[in-house]
Amino acid sequence: MKLINIGFGSLVAAGRVLSILSPDSAPIKRVIQEARDRGMLIDASYGRKTKAVLLMDTDHVILSALTPEQLFARWQDKNDVEFEEEET
């Protein structure tokens, strides 16, 4: 399982990310508010300006202080943390 650093030591599973979006449009702001109301919002921006919104397949919405371009570059980077899944 590949993990992507989304800033400030926070990691997400690369295989769980559906999309990485900019938070500027009104529909994305509504998605953020609806996730907050449902308790499915994770703010990984640590008080900084939100520059990217990650939509996960678990219905979670994650906020990041990194831009979508930076996250995409990290996604493609071979130096990101990778863990082998143990078979049980």
Side-chain angles (χ1 to χ4, degrees):
M1 169 179 28
K2 183 175 181 180
L3 298 175
I4 303 169
N5 183 342
I6 61 168
F8 307 107
S10 298
L11 304 169
V12 295
R16 296 279 197 182
V17 177
L18 295 177
S19 67
I20 302 172
L21 306 164
S22 174
D24 300 329
S25 71
I28 300 304
K29 289 179 182 179
R30 278 194 298 274
V31 167
I32 293 169
Q33 186 58 48
E34 289 171 4
R36 181 176 284 122
D37 294 343
R38 290 189 330 244
M40 300 297 280
L41 182 70
I42 300 170
D43 188 355
S45 66
Y46 290 88
R48 290 173 175 77
K49 182 179 180 194
T50 299
K51 295 181 183 173
V53 178
L54 290 85
L55 301 181
M56 310 299 285
D57 66 353
T58 59
D59 208 26
H60 285 88
V61 176
I62 302 175
L63 307 179
S64 174
L66 300 178
T67 65
E69 293 80 13
Q70 289 172 315
L71 293 174
F72 181 67
R74 289 181 182 205
W75 190 332
Q76 292 184 327
D77 189 9
K78 302 293 184 215
N79 295 326
D80 274 330
V81 179
E82 288 192 40
F83 291 99
E84 292 183 19
E85 293 185 34
E86 296 179 16
E87 294 184 28
T88 56

